[in-house]
Amino acid sequence: MMEEVKEVTSALSVHGHNIKITDVVKDGDALTFVIVSQKLSGTGEYHVDRTWDDFEWLQQHLFSQEDVPGLQGVIFPPLPAKASGNASAKIMKQLGVLGLGEWQPYCKALETFLQQVATHKILNKNKAVEVFLTSSDAPGRQKVKKNIFNRLSQAVEEMRKEGHKDVDEFFQTERDHNLVLTGCTKTAAEKFLDMVLTEQKIAVACGHFSAALHLCVEPGEDPDKKAFSRLCVQISEVFDSMKKNMTSVAENNVNTLGLGLDLESRYQEAEKEMLFRRTCKLVELENARRNAEKAKPVKKAAMEEVKTATQTEFQQICGVARQEIKQFHGVRVKMLQQALVQWCEKQLLTAKESTDQFNQHLQAFRGMAQ
Amino acid sequence: MAASSDRNPPPFPAAEDPEPGLVDPADGDSDEGEDIFVSKTNPVSVSRGVSQPDRGAEDPPDLFSEEEEASSTTAKSNGVHSDDDSDLFAEAHMELNTDKPGSSAKKELSASSGPRSTSTSTQSPAAMQPTSLEQLEEEEAKDSFDVDVAITNPEKVGDGMNAYVAYKVSTRTSLTMFRSKTFSVRRRFSDFLGLYEKLSVKQSLHGCIIPLPPEKSVVGMTKVKVGMDDPSSVEFVERRRAALERYLQRVVCHPSLLQDADVREFLERDDLPRALNTQALSGAGFLKMINKASDAVNKMTIKMNESDTWFEDKFQEVEAEEQQLRKLHAVVDSLVNHRKDLCGNTAVFAKSMAMLGNSEDNTALSRALSQLAEVEDKMEQLHQEQAASDFFIFAELLSDYIRLLGAVRGCFDQRMRAWQRWQEAQSTLQKKREAEAKLLWANKPEKLQQAKEDITEWESRVTQYERDFDRIGMTVRKEVLRFESYGFGKHQYSGPSPCRGSLFMVSLYHGFLNFIWYRRFFVISQDFAVYRYFYRFIIVASCVEERRWRKDICL
């Protein structure tokens, strides 16, 4: 995805772009993922086991880096919500497409997360990433100190800030645009999921019909009965093919476009959060300015200091944010296109296979007219 | 997408190769390639090795194609029009009165004694029963009918919610009981329901299987009434027309129903009084009615001692088959519903994609997403077609059959009721005799006369009911055999012992060929074409975009 990024400057000892999650083990409630990454120097792989809590640990560390200027301007790769082996209906709904198909899409989403973290110019310098990917022990589970990155639902006061007018036109348009896109993408992803679920139901219904027809088969020597049974079996097979076709279609949908839309949706949310953080900083800056102006001479120096500090932070954030946004747009479009292309290819393949199968059935039927 | 007229399914296999043993019940009068019940004229039986000339694909625009005289053989017939046949029909217990005896095709309609024939003749069926069953079956095989009906030209009459669709019912016949050789009238759907109502009241007492008309559909009709000319309401009217034609053909196929004055009136009379109170005959109403009736019979206190196991066996068969079909129907129904859901979901998804494409500022991606929205729209249409075809080929076929079997069960119930009446009359007679004995003993001559009259009256009633019962028994047997042979359609599957299953199978086979060839293949290849088109578009767009992005991002 970001192959052009030179990995020399990263602190990582592994390649970032081909991290794979090869296996998922379900142990009661918890899911354990096996992560494989290729060593930078020479040949060799790191195999580690991680649970979702370990992923969260990594994310928290990334959020709380202290020495990175403008960190709040980074669009953090989104981590999928926690999934458990016996997920409730609510969690499954929240996961959307990722909750389908025996956790394969979920693994893919986690994989993408790791790849993006490992290839991010700023983020991959964090030691936590190295530890996560290479250490054979589970990373520590100590609670990381609170930070404003915690994904709490925005308090009512905070919501106010979201609409705060921007000083920079670039960012204002970006915010407006992001707002629209986030809504649209989320809706699209949801409707897509509905479609996929219905396709799965159709596949199941075809399977039922196929089974029911099998029950119609009557044993016996009566040539009529035999002919009838043969016909039932034949039709039953056709419906079986239909079921397989529909299942493939649904699977293709999930693995390509479904994942693409889901990722896009979560990424838009991530960008939204970044823009919000910047807006909060802007509000802070404006408050600091006001305070500095209104301050009594006693406090004025202190206020000025605060104001200057805030200004520097804000500018750093803006700098990083601009870069991130540009990167983000390019990457986003590419990812979505890739998803679309893959989707087309897979559906074409399925359609071709199905056509062949149905042709065969047709021939068989014609041959039956004896 | 494609309207029904665009479709061009391949000619059925029977048309392509000479196929021994399989008649091509191809479309006759209807445009519907897949409507296999609309068939040709005579049920021509084809013995093995004889190829049936293709009357399917090259159908002349004439409503009725050439009637071919049945060269009837069945695999187990001895090919002899035995004299016993005429004896059998000398005792036929139906009200038959054609003026045209004689031709072998009309044997069944030849003059015979009425229901109240002399007691001697009524006793003979019982004696003849072992042989008459075979002869019955032979007779069925030789039946051919000289009445053709077709239903065409559906036309909307009136406006708004009072509008209705009038169909042209054309009859062509050589029976002289009708006024002319060919004639046509206009009828509306409620007229058909009215006909069924009249017939079921009268004829069911004789143990006939009354064919069931198609079901009412409020949704379908409302669309038509509102005046939309969209393909779905056109298709609805077409389906209904085909179903009505099937129904009417079944009615005229039935020899005793054909004799009914109401049927003749229906076919001939220009102005039929409006049939009212047909609300009860809608949708699930039919089956409910029949089920209620069966339940009532089952609750009757006196259980019948079935002396003739034939009835018991047949009844079990019918019930078992009905259960099977019901199960299949339930599954198909759920499949159809899911498909309809998929249509809805696809449409909503297409809309959301269009919105996304509009909001997207990257032009290439925006275009791609809009294209995707269009693709999904097309997919929705395909899904709709698929759902419709699933419905009409499988679900309707199955429910049609289930209704038929319900009607068959109904006639068994009639026989049961006749038996009940007979038994009750017998017990009443017994009571009267006891009363008379008491009076004799009590020596009351004035009441004795009354008692004697009562006894005579009840004795004759008992005899009559017993005769009724036997008659109904015979009729039921005949009806069931007819049903097994033809299933109330003019097609035949020749085999050693034709059975209901074979009819179902033939219909299923042909329906399915059409289904699979046209629908599935077409749909899938449409999928294919649609995806291929989109794929090419995406590839081009992504190449352009990639170049641009690389330029942008490489600082």
Side-chain angles (χ1 to χ4, degrees):
Chain A
M1 223 181 57
M2 294 154 92
E3 289 88 330
E4 294 81 20
V5 175
K6 304 175 205 26
E7 281 153 301
V8 171
T9 50
S10 91
L12 276 186
S13 64
V14 296
H15 287 280
H17 59 272
N18 53 7
I19 299 175
K20 293 265 182 291
I21 295 186
T22 53
D23 217 351
V24 56
V25 176
K26 183 173 144 180
D27 186 11
D29 237 11
L31 294 167
T32 311
F33 305 94
V34 175
I35 304 169
V36 175
S37 41
Q38 310 292 325
K39 287 193 189 159
L40 261 182
S41 51
T43 55
E45 297 179 336
Y46 285 108
H47 286 243
V48 291
D49 298 331
R50 298 285 180 257
T51 61
W52 189 85
D53 292 329
D54 298 325
F55 278 88
E56 194 181 35
W57 172 91
L58 173 64
Q59 196 183 44
Q60 292 299 325
H61 269 274
L62 292 174
F63 284 162
S64 61
Q65 296 172 92
E66 300 242 320
D67 50 349
V68 180
L71 182 70
Q72 294 185 40
V74 170
I75 301 177
F76 288 89
L79 179 66
K82 179 167 185 180
S84 71
N86 311 317
S88 69
K90 187 160 153 246
I91 296 179
M92 293 303 267
K93 192 159 187 287
Q94 191 187 31
L95 285 177
V97 139
L98 300 182
L100 299 177
E102 294 297 319
W103 306 121
Q104 294 311 321
Y106 191 75
C107 289
K108 202 84 183 46
L110 288 176
E111 212 176 86
T112 316
F113 168 74
L114 287 177
Q115 285 174 356
Q116 284 162 349
V117 167
T119 48
H120 195 283
K121 282 182 284 188
I122 298 175
L123 294 179
N124 67 7
K125 297 200 179 90
N126 192 313
K127 293 273 183 302
V129 184
E130 175 77 16
V131 168
F132 183 91
L133 287 172
T134 57
S135 159
S136 45
D137 304 320
R141 303 282 171 85
Q142 61 271 48
K143 258 296 189 205
V144 185
K145 61 180 183 295
K146 276 230 180 251
N147 51 63
I148 67 164
F149 295 61
N150 279 341
R151 226 165 181 252
L152 304 166
S153 50
Q154 294 167 325
V156 175
E157 317 82 79
E158 304 284 299
M159 290 295 275
R160 195 163 41 81
K161 288 187 194 165
E162 191 162 9
H164 189 94
K165 193 113 180 35
D166 210 304
V167 295
D168 189 329
E169 199 187 310
F170 171 75
F171 281 104
Q172 184 64 55
T173 39
E174 186 62 28
R175 277 162 65 187
D176 296 333
H177 202 68
N178 169 273
L179 193 63
V180 172
L181 270 186
T182 314
C184 287
T185 319
K186 195 147 191 271
T187 316
E190 280 169 10
K191 301 308 170 200
F192 193 72
L193 179 67
D194 286 338
M195 217 172 79
V196 167
L197 288 175
T198 314
E199 280 169 359
Q200 287 181 333
K201 281 189 206 148
I202 290 181
V204 167
C206 284
H208 283 156
F209 191 49
S210 171
L213 278 172
H214 256 294
L215 292 177
C216 285
V217 170
E218 298 170 35
E221 282 310 312
D222 182 21
D224 242 23
K225 279 207 171 119
K226 273 165 112 172
F228 183 51
S229 303
R230 224 170 49 220
L231 186 75
C232 280
V233 167
Q234 199 71 14
I235 299 183
S236 167
E237 279 174 24
V238 173
F239 269 90
D240 208 36
S241 303
M242 277 167 66
K243 171 187 169 189
K244 291 201 185 102
N245 172 45
M246 212 26 125
T247 316
S248 298
V249 166
E251 223 176 274
N252 293 343
N253 275 341
V254 166
N255 290 336
T256 54
L257 197 52
L259 273 178
L261 283 173
D262 172 78
L263 184 65
E264 169 85 3
S265 166
R266 283 184 294 122
Y267 243 111
Q268 295 282 359
E269 290 276 345
E271 192 199 9
K272 184 168 161 195
E273 281 170 18
M274 183 279 278
L275 288 169
F276 181 68
R277 290 194 292 269
R278 182 187 156 278
T279 313
C280 288
K281 202 54 153 182
L282 176 63
V283 170
E284 200 184 308
L285 177 61
E286 285 178 1
N287 286 341
R289 279 213 189 104
R290 259 201 303 274
N291 288 343
E293 278 170 32
K294 289 196 239 158
K296 304 221 171 60
V298 165
K299 290 259 184 84
K300 196 153 178 115
M303 288 294 124
E304 283 289 329
E305 236 181 81
V306 168
K307 178 188 118 184
T308 324
T310 319
Q311 189 139 20
T312 327
E313 276 172 18
F314 182 68
Q315 274 164 355
Q316 282 170 339
I317 289 176
C318 286
V320 170
R322 248 180 237 271
Q323 187 71 357
E324 286 281 298
I325 286 172
K326 219 167 171 187
Q327 187 99 28
F328 171 64
H329 280 310
V331 167
R332 171 180 82 87
V333 168
K334 197 159 201 287
M335 276 186 340
L336 205 50
Q337 269 175 352
Q338 256 182 7
L340 286 169
V341 167
Q342 276 182 345
W343 179 69
C344 266
E345 284 175 353
K346 286 219 169 135
Q347 297 291 31
L348 272 176
L349 194 63
T350 305
K352 245 189 256 181
E353 284 173 355
S354 299
T355 313
D356 288 337
Q357 263 242 304
F358 284 125
N359 249 338
Q360 277 182 0
H361 283 301
L362 187 60
Q363 296 311 319
F365 259 94
R366 290 215 169 110
M368 260 187 71
Q370 305 289 327
Chain B
M1 286 203 91
S4 34
S5 48
D6 291 344
R7 286 189 288 116
N8 215 359
F12 289 111
E16 291 163 358
D17 331 297
E19 284 194 26
L22 184 64
V23 168
D24 164 21
D27 27 69
D29 311 320
S30 98
D31 320 325
E32 290 287 279
E34 59 204 47
D35 193 291
I36 50 205
F37 285 105
V38 180
S39 67
K40 293 316 184 75
T41 56
N42 292 331
V44 181
S45 65
V46 180
S47 51
R48 300 194 189 277
V50 172
S51 75
Q52 192 63 19
D54 167 39
R55 298 169 298 166
E58 309 98 25
D59 203 23
D62 179 23
L63 290 175
F64 306 103
S65 58
E66 283 309 301
E67 283 182 76
E68 293 159 39
E69 205 36 40
S71 68
S72 37
T73 47
T74 61
K76 82 166 179 191
S77 79
N78 47 23
V80 171
H81 298 211
S82 69
D83 296 335
D84 291 342
D85 295 339
S86 37
D87 282 350
L88 179 70
F89 282 93
E91 280 104 40
H93 297 291
M94 294 170 243
E95 197 74 54
L96 302 173
N97 56 344
T98 71
D99 319 344
K100 211 179 170 199
S103 88
S104 68
K106 317 269 184 344
K107 250 195 210 291
E108 204 169 356
L109 311 175
S110 60
S112 63
S113 44
R116 310 277 186 275
S117 52
T118 61
S119 44
T120 48
S121 57
T122 56
Q123 295 309 315
S124 346
M128 273 180 68
Q129 228 136 45
T131 45
S132 68
L133 201 57
E134 285 169 1
Q135 282 155 359
L136 269 180
E137 291 176 357
E138 270 180 33
E139 267 305 310
E140 295 307 328
K142 290 184 216 117
D143 274 341
S144 69
F145 299 94
D146 207 12
V147 181
D148 291 310
V149 290
I151 299 188
T152 50
N153 298 3
E155 263 172 24
K156 188 168 146 195
V157 174
D159 237 338
M161 287 314 284
N162 291 329
Y164 62 90
V165 180
Y167 303 89
K168 179 173 163 197
V169 177
S170 317
T171 324
R172 188 176 80 164
T173 176
S174 58
L175 296 178
T176 53
M177 66 172 157
F178 292 102
R179 279 192 301 228
S180 52
K181 293 259 186 233
T182 43
F183 48 89
S184 69
V185 289
R186 296 199 73 77
R187 293 280 176 261
R188 54 184 291 187
F189 184 67
S190 52
D191 294 335
F192 288 84
L193 292 183
L195 175 66
Y196 170 75
E197 214 173 9
K198 290 185 205 146
L199 285 180
S200 64
V201 163
K202 284 197 283 176
Q203 292 289 350
S204 60
L205 293 175
H206 302 157
C208 298
I209 301 176
I210 318 285
L212 291 165
E215 301 184 346
K216 265 193 175 190
S217 161
V218 179
V219 171
M221 269 321 282
T222 318
K223 263 171 99 176
V224 172
K225 281 184 194 184
V226 167
M228 298 200 275
D229 261 331
D230 60 346
S232 67
S233 40
V234 165
E235 209 176 320
F236 171 79
V237 170
E238 177 53 37
R239 300 283 175 187
R240 178 167 271 197
R241 184 206 65 79
L244 288 172
E245 195 170 68
R246 276 207 298 277
Y247 165 64
L248 207 55
Q249 278 174 344
R250 284 180 189 150
V251 169
V252 301
C253 244
H254 194 298
S256 57
L257 288 184
L258 186 58
Q259 301 301 313
D260 192 300
D262 275 322
V263 171
R264 260 182 293 160
E265 192 179 75
F266 182 85
L267 290 174
E268 279 188 321
R269 193 164 154 183
D270 281 323
D271 247 326
L272 208 59
R274 262 278 318 258
L276 307 164
N277 301 331
T278 52
Q279 276 79 10
L281 299 175
S282 70
F286 283 125
L287 282 180
K288 256 191 232 145
M289 261 173 21
I290 295 187
N291 289 337
K292 247 195 293 181
S294 327
D295 287 338
V297 168
N298 286 337
K299 285 200 200 95
M300 285 194 196
T301 44
I302 318 169
K303 239 350 187 174
M304 182 168 180
N305 293 331
E306 192 55 81
S307 47
D308 192 352
T309 50
W310 186 90
F311 286 98
E312 182 117 2
D313 290 340
K314 280 298 165 190
F315 190 65
Q316 303 285 14
E317 259 184 60
V318 168
E319 274 207 322
E321 178 141 347
E322 191 177 339
Q323 285 303 89
Q324 220 174 42
L325 290 181
R326 273 185 201 270
K327 258 186 272 182
L328 283 180
H329 184 255
V331 175
V332 171
D333 225 11
S334 88
L335 176 63
V336 168
N337 283 337
H338 287 318
R339 282 208 197 273
K340 289 198 187 139
D341 282 342
L342 187 61
C343 290
N345 288 340
T346 316
V348 169
F349 176 62
K351 277 202 200 80
S352 72
M353 265 301 162
M355 266 184 54
L356 188 59
N358 281 339
S359 339
E360 180 63 55
D361 57 347
N362 179 304
T363 31
L365 191 58
S366 165
R367 261 205 321 259
L369 291 175
S370 307
Q371 276 288 325
L372 177 55
E374 282 175 32
V375 166
E376 289 298 327
D377 260 335
K378 287 193 194 132
M379 295 294 294
E380 188 225 339
Q381 296 230 338
L382 290 178
H383 287 313
Q384 257 194 1
E385 283 193 5
Q386 182 71 62
S389 94
D390 275 354
F391 178 69
F392 285 117
I393 292 187
F394 281 109
E396 286 250 304
L397 177 69
L398 284 169
S399 53
D400 207 25
Y401 237 83
I402 291 172
R403 278 202 298 270
L404 264 183
L405 288 178
V408 174
R409 249 196 311 137
C411 84
F412 274 93
D413 289 337
Q414 290 300 333
R415 179 171 167 272
M416 192 73 90
R417 260 187 280 235
W419 185 84
Q420 299 276 359
R421 269 199 301 270
W422 178 29
Q423 294 304 314
E424 279 164 9
Q426 270 192 330
S427 75
T428 319
L429 177 64
Q430 186 64 20
K431 283 195 201 111
K432 296 284 178 190
R433 288 210 173 115
E434 284 169 8
E436 186 208 19
K438 269 197 214 137
L439 286 175
L440 269 176
W441 199 78
N443 203 15
K444 289 192 180 142
E446 61 288 347
K447 290 201 183 152
L448 207 58
Q449 182 59 24
Q450 179 64 38
K452 283 210 192 293
E453 281 175 14
D454 274 351
I455 289 181
T456 328
E457 183 197 331
W458 277 97
E459 269 177 354
S460 72
R461 276 204 201 175
V462 166
T463 327
Q464 186 199 312
Y465 287 160
E466 184 175 0
R467 271 189 236 140
D468 278 351
F469 174 66
D470 285 333
R471 175 171 51 84
I472 287 190
M474 280 298 292
T475 314
V476 168
R477 259 192 218 269
K478 272 199 70 193
E479 286 292 291
V480 171
L481 282 169
R482 274 193 77 248
F483 178 66
E484 283 185 338
S485 309
Y486 296 135
F488 282 86
K490 286 181 177 175
H491 17 275
Q492 186 171 342
Y493 182 82
S494 81
S497 51
C499 74
R500 283 184 299 287
S502 58
L503 178 68
F504 181 53
M505 178 179 105
V506 169
S507 349
L508 213 52
Y509 164 69
H510 282 289
F512 201 76
L513 258 192
N514 192 32
F515 168 79
I516 215 188
W517 183 87
Y518 181 72
R519 295 296 183 189
R520 209 59 202 159
F521 186 66
F522 184 65
V523 164
I524 290 290
S525 57
Q526 282 282 58
D527 278 4
F528 187 66
V530 146
Y531 281 127
R532 190 165 48 186
Y533 162 73
F534 187 61
Y535 177 64
R536 289 207 192 111
F537 177 84
I538 284 287
I539 292 291
V540 166
S542 64
C543 288
V544 168
E545 186 54 31
E546 175 137 359
R547 260 181 270 143
R548 179 155 21 120
W549 179 67
R550 281 177 195 266
K551 235 192 298 175
D552 268 350
I553 208 60
C554 287
L555 310 149

